[in-house]
Each structure stands twice: as C-alpha cells, then as structure tokens.
Amino acid sequence: MQDIFAILDVEIYYVPMDWHKQQRLRAIEIIVYWHEKLNTKDIINAFGISRIQASKDIKHYIQAYPGNMYYSLTDRAYLKAKPFTLHLSQGSFEEYL
C-alpha cells in the first residue's frame, strides 16, 4: 500500500510548538517541582488563560512526560510524583523566581 502523502504529493512539515505553550509547560514543571503540587488556578493566574486552556496544557504535560505528576482527588490538585524528572527546566531557584 502506498503512502497517502506520496499519492497526494503532499509534503509533511514538522510544526514546532507555540512559544507561549512551551512557556506554560515549562511553568507547570517548575511549579510542580518547587511546590510539589499544581492546580489549574496556578496556570490561569500566571498566564491569564482560560480554565479549559490550562487543563489542556496540564494534560499535554502529563502525556509528554508521564510519571512526573498525578491527580489526587483528596487534594484536588496534581501532585509531584517521585521520582520526578526535569525535562523543560534546570530546577534552579532563579528559574522559579
């Protein structure tokens, strides 16, 4: 079976992630790393985005880096998993500020 893109004579391009989304995902990692928990309000307040967008960003982070955090029904927040691996930040205090 031929590749559908070859049949249609279409080139596939990699579209890099939006810079703003990269910054939100980085913030998610930094907040979870230092506070050991995160909820949508943290991202909403930091970036002035909607709850829906904050939820999408958190879901994206969890899918991209599974095992770094999980949702706790008791705390009604995402908690830092152990071990936690930094992917988008260095974990320095300067980044946190």
Side-chain angles (χ1 to χ4, degrees):
M1 182 172 188
Q2 273 189 312
D3 183 7
I4 188 69
F5 296 107
I7 294 169
L8 297 174
D9 194 28
V10 175
E11 291 187 42
I12 302 172
Y13 296 96
Y14 172 74
V15 179
M17 189 186 314
D18 175 88
W19 182 85
H20 296 286
K21 185 165 187 166
Q22 285 179 345
Q23 294 307 304
R24 293 192 306 269
L25 294 179
R26 187 169 177 264
I28 288 168
E29 183 168 280
I30 291 168
I31 292 167
V32 171
Y33 181 75
W34 286 99
H35 290 246
E36 299 196 356
K37 68 178 184 175
L38 169 88
N39 60 43
T40 54
K41 288 181 188 176
D42 296 323
I43 304 304
I44 291 167
N45 293 339
F47 292 95
I49 59 174
S50 69
R51 181 173 301 281
I52 293 170
Q53 185 61 58
S55 294
K56 285 180 181 180
D57 289 342
I58 292 168
K59 183 179 178 181
H60 184 133
Y61 183 88
I62 290 171
Q63 288 175 340
Y65 310 108
N68 259 6
M69 62 183 188
Y70 61 94
Y71 188 75
S72 167
L73 290 172
T74 306
D75 295 300
R76 296 180 66 184
Y78 294 89
L79 302 181
K80 179 180 175 181
K82 294 183 175 56
F84 184 87
T85 305
L86 294 168
H87 296 278
L88 304 172
S89 66
Q90 300 298 312
S92 69
F93 188 66
E94 289 77 22
E95 284 179 311
Y96 174 69
L97 296 175

